[in-house]
């Protein structure tokens, strides 16, 4: 499991990490990547709310609106967080959540 520190760009509020693909946006890449295990906030790692909600919607046990709430929660975690927990130990890079769940 990798710990990818969040790189913040204050003027634009853009948050990035150094991925196997290079420097990528947390909001457009990590949020929708199968390798994103969670967000590190202080000493705790909080599992990716988007991944959890997506799996529930796919199983039919969660409402579609849960994905929007999960995206908002992910943004809040990124605002308060320090790093992304990434399980891409093979350095494959971005792997779309919507093609694997």
């Amino acid at each position: 499991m990798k710990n990818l520190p969040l790189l913040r760009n204050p003027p634009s509020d853009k948050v990035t990490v150094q991925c196997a693909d290079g420097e990528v946006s947390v909001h457009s890449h990590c949020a929708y990547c199968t390798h994103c295990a969670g967000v590190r906030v202080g000493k705790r790692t909080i599992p990716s709310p988007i991944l959890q909600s997506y799996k529930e919607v796919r199983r039919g046990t969660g409402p579609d609106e849960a994905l929007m709430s999960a995206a908002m929660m992910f943004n809040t975690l990124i605002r308060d967080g320090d790093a992304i927990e990434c399980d891409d130990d093979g350095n494959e890079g971005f792997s779309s959540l919507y093609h694997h769940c």
Side-chain angles (χ1 to χ4, degrees):
M1 184 78 65
K2 295 185 208 177
N3 187 359
L4 306 176
L6 298 177
L7 308 171
R8 300 181 189 280
N9 187 358
S12 67
D13 291 330
K14 184 175 183 179
V15 181
T16 59
V17 293
Q18 277 298 334
C19 174
D21 293 337
E23 190 170 334
V24 298
S25 168
V26 172
H27 294 99
S28 63
H29 282 76
C30 297
Y32 304 103
C33 181
T34 58
H35 297 298
C36 182
V39 179
R40 189 105 171 120
V41 180
K43 294 182 180 182
R44 294 182 45 205
T45 298
I46 297 143
S48 172
I50 295 174
L51 179 60
Q52 291 177 332
S53 291
Y54 185 68
K55 287 180 179 180
E56 290 173 6
V57 168
R58 293 267 308 191
R59 283 193 305 259
T61 59
D64 294 341
E65 298 83 22
L67 284 172
M68 181 59 78
S69 294
M72 291 173 29
M73 175 56 79
F74 183 83
N75 290 341
T76 300
L77 292 173
I78 294 303
R79 182 196 67 203
D80 299 338
D82 305 308
I84 292 289
E85 292 289 323
C86 178
D87 69 6
D88 183 18
D89 294 327
N91 282 330
E92 298 169 12
F94 177 75
S95 177
S96 178
L97 173 67
Y98 298 113
H99 293 238
H100 293 90
C101 280

